[in-house]
Amino acid sequence: MKYIEKVRNYIRENNMIQAGDSVIVGVSGGADSVCLLLMLEELSRMEGFGLRIVNVEHGIRGEESVADSEFVVKLGESLGLPVFPYKINVPELAAEMKVSEEEAGRIMRYRIFEDARCKVGGDRIAVAHNANDNAETFIHNIIRGTSLKGLEGIPPVRGNIIRPLLCLTRAEIEESLKEAGAEYRHDSTNDSNDYTRNKIRNEILPLLKEINPATVEHINSLTEDTVKANAVLAKYVDKVYDEAVEESRKGDIPVSINITRLLGEDDIVKAEIIKKGITKVAGAARDIGRIHILDCMGLLYATTGKSLHLPYDVIAKTSYDKLLLYKKRKGVGHSHQNHDDTECYVDYSGLTTYGKCSLRAEIIENEKIQIEKNLYTKYIDYDRIECGLTVRHRRTGDTIVINESGGRAKLKDYFINEKIPAGIRDDIWLVCDGSSVVWVQGYRLSESYKVTDTTKRILKMELTED
């Protein structure tokens, strides 16, 4: 087939298929997918990989759609390739999923392709996106609003998905099929401009090509350059992220951004750092828009205590020189007076469990003990305990000894001086001896309980939170 070497080189450049691979090919019966199938069938004999065909009938176009599926089955049989036909009802699925029919069809196709791949032990899933599709995606992303990532267009490879025809324009595909004398089906829904992508394909892109016939090629070149530029930016962003951001798997603040460190960077780096942090907390990025990032960037210059509510129940809040990112949840930002005022006495020779807190204690004789430096393991002078240790949250009147001369500070003042975020103070676990704070989990020990040369018995404590 014409352009077969162009596709072959593109597959090699992007490491899409290896000898011995089994490739699932999504075939609708249209020009693009038929061209993809015929080219891969020819290349499979040259390169030594296997093919299986998957067809999805969407239940939208009635007899026309059924006829398309029958065409694909016959085409597969003529090539001696196995065909796996699937039938779904996209209108019903779209209603259930509360998305457009276009989106529901896309989601279900990829689910089916992956299901088929797993069932037959396939290695790759080949779909028929081409250079025009990439240009349309680029335009679509610009229209609806996008970051630099959206300007990369459609990737040649994403996980198990490969797109061998991205190097060909639609005109080249049609030319290739014409030379081969190959038949294909026409999807009448592609003629309707009800879908945004069709409007771009049928009206906007042709107008741009009137201005410059090489529009598609130029857009594709730009997407390739954007991929390279974004890779360089991402590498630098990762470096700054490591320097400016603290992540915690335990505690209430999973992401804390050093504002002072971030202010020295260009706005584009600030934006990428903030977006990366929000995504870490949210576990998703789809609904994080440009406006949310810009609002968070404004917080970098705000006074302490200012906050924003973001998608996925994420809260961004300033605390001194930190921008804190965390999920909205019970216990963060509530009044101290409303906090649970109960406590639990510590078992000095076993495990104490109180809510999500677990404290394991052990009395050790002070003989050649190796004291570990660990955020969640502490050692105190057992004989200095007066009232009996308890595990609880803060209360009015709590104090802590902060220097060797016995200087005592209110716990509230200690939190302020250490710039501990107000939103998490009520949720920090304390080990207390009456109103004297022995240990502020994650921060410090009271000076008056520390092990000294005269200590006879040591209490080792390991405090963790589920």
Side-chain angles (χ1 to χ4, degrees):
M1 292 183 73
K2 193 170 184 179
Y3 303 114
I4 187 75
E5 284 303 315
K6 186 175 182 180
V7 172
R8 187 183 196 178
N9 290 333
Y10 190 70
I11 290 173
R12 287 176 174 174
E13 288 168 7
N14 290 280
N15 197 29
M16 292 184 179
I17 305 172
Q18 304 297 322
D21 279 353
S22 175
V23 181
I24 304 296
V25 189
V27 184
S28 66
D32 298 341
S33 65
V34 169
C35 181
L36 173 66
L37 174 62
L38 296 180
M39 284 200 168
L40 288 182
E41 193 276 333
E42 186 173 336
L43 289 172
S44 69
R45 288 182 271 115
M46 299 178 186
E47 305 290 343
F49 57 85
L51 295 177
R52 290 177 173 84
I53 300 170
V54 173
N55 170 261
V56 183
E57 201 273 286
H58 292 69
I60 295 178
R61 294 177 290 117
E63 293 182 3
E64 180 184 336
S65 181
V66 173
D68 289 350
S69 292
E70 292 173 350
F71 169 82
V72 172
V73 171
K74 291 179 181 177
L75 177 60
E77 290 174 350
S78 71
L79 296 172
L81 297 173
V83 182
F84 299 89
Y86 289 76
K87 181 177 176 62
I88 58 176
N89 189 318
V90 167
E92 288 184 2
L93 289 168
E96 290 175 10
M97 300 164 72
K98 296 181 181 180
V99 297
S100 67
E101 290 186 2
E102 184 180 26
E103 179 68 4
R106 185 191 68 80
I107 292 170
M108 292 308 300
R109 279 196 303 277
Y110 282 105
R111 286 182 182 175
I112 288 169
F113 293 156
E114 179 61 17
D115 177 71
R117 187 191 71 81
C118 292
K119 284 181 178 178
V120 302
D123 300 291
R124 297 288 195 170
I125 298 167
V127 291
H129 292 108
N130 57 54
N132 285 56
D133 293 320
N134 194 35
E136 292 160 12
T137 297
F138 179 89
I139 295 169
H140 189 221
N141 288 347
I142 290 175
I143 291 171
R144 69 181 183 181
T146 186
S147 65
L148 287 175
K149 192 69 178 174
L151 300 184
E152 293 184 1
I154 304 172
V157 179
R158 177 181 285 155
N160 295 320
I161 308 295
I162 60 173
R163 298 178 172 91
L165 296 192
L166 273 181
C167 61
L168 299 185
T169 64
R170 187 163 286 119
E172 288 173 326
I173 287 171
E174 291 174 356
E175 185 181 351
S176 181
L177 290 172
K178 182 177 180 180
E179 184 195 60
E183 296 182 0
Y184 55 88
R185 301 283 294 179
H186 176 69
D187 184 344
S188 61
T189 60
N190 289 334
D191 299 328
S192 169
N193 289 332
D194 291 341
Y195 298 127
T196 302
R197 187 171 289 276
N198 284 2
K199 198 172 187 68
I200 294 171
R201 176 183 301 136
N202 298 331
E203 295 184 5
I204 297 175
L205 200 54
L207 283 174
L208 293 175
K209 290 172 71 175
E210 283 183 17
I211 298 172
N212 188 337
T215 292
V216 171
E217 290 85 348
H218 290 170
I219 290 177
N220 276 266
S221 294
L222 177 57
T223 62
E224 291 174 5
D225 289 344
T226 305
V227 170
K228 296 172 184 176
N230 281 347
V232 174
L233 176 61
K235 187 175 181 180
Y236 183 71
V237 166
D238 287 343
K239 175 181 177 293
V240 176
Y241 190 91
D242 289 341
E243 296 172 357
V245 180
E246 292 182 13
E247 291 186 3
S248 174
R249 294 184 179 180
K250 295 182 178 180
D252 299 306
I253 308 297
V255 171
S256 173
I257 301 175
N258 186 309
I259 293 175
T260 303
R261 173 64 183 85
L262 203 58
L263 286 178
E265 298 296 334
D266 290 330
D267 283 350
I268 191 170
V269 177
K270 293 189 188 84
E272 290 297 314
I273 295 291
I274 291 171
K275 183 174 183 179
K276 185 174 180 178
I278 295 173
T279 303
K280 288 273 186 181
V281 177
R286 187 178 183 88
D287 295 331
I288 306 298
R290 181 181 180 85
I291 186 63
H292 303 123
I293 305 302
L294 290 175
D295 285 345
C296 285
M297 288 174 68
L299 284 182
L300 300 178
Y301 306 91
T303 57
T304 189
K306 294 293 184 181
S307 64
L308 288 171
H309 289 256
L310 303 169
Y312 306 107
D313 288 328
V314 174
I315 293 176
K317 185 175 183 178
T318 58
S319 179
Y320 303 100
D321 66 338
K322 304 289 185 184
L323 178 63
L324 309 178
L325 300 172
Y326 55 90
K327 282 269 195 177
K328 180 182 178 182
R329 60 204 178 280
K330 183 179 180 181
V332 172
H334 57 64
S335 169
H336 167 54
Q337 284 73 19
N338 293 330
H339 203 288
D340 183 3
D341 201 36
T342 61
E343 61 188 357
C344 183
Y345 278 89
V346 172
D347 180 350
Y348 300 142
S349 59
L351 181 67
T352 302
T353 302
Y354 180 48
K356 293 183 177 181
C357 173
S358 296
L359 188 147
R360 186 174 297 280
E362 176 187 5
I363 300 173
I364 305 170
E365 296 298 324
N366 189 10
E367 295 179 0
K368 299 180 181 179
I369 182 173
Q370 184 69 34
I371 294 181
E372 306 170 25
K373 289 187 177 181
N374 187 304
L375 198 61
Y376 298 99
T377 302
K378 297 298 179 184
Y379 301 80
I380 67 169
D381 189 328
Y382 175 76
D383 294 307
R384 288 180 177 268
I385 299 170
E386 296 181 359
C387 303
L389 299 186
T390 59
V391 178
R392 61 174 173 82
H393 294 290
R394 67 169 175 158
R395 294 176 183 168
T396 301
D398 283 343
T399 62
I400 184 169
V401 176
I402 57 174
N403 55 49
E404 293 180 359
S405 61
R408 188 176 291 272
K410 291 181 180 179
L411 185 63
K412 177 181 178 181
D413 292 337
Y414 166 74
F415 282 158
I416 292 172
N417 292 335
E418 293 298 316
K419 297 183 178 180
I420 296 173
I424 70 169
R425 294 172 190 170
D426 286 344
D427 295 279
I428 294 174
W429 289 104
L430 306 174
V431 177
C432 300
D433 186 10
S435 62
S436 294
V437 177
V438 177
W439 179 13
V440 182
Q441 185 205 18
Y443 294 93
R444 69 163 298 160
L445 275 177
S446 167
E447 289 292 330
S448 63
Y449 291 86
K450 284 188 174 181
V451 174
T452 67
D453 293 338
T454 61
T455 298
K456 295 180 180 179
R457 291 183 294 177
I458 294 173
L459 184 67
K460 177 183 178 182
M461 300 180 293
E462 297 176 84
L463 195 156
T464 57
E465 184 177 7
D466 295 337

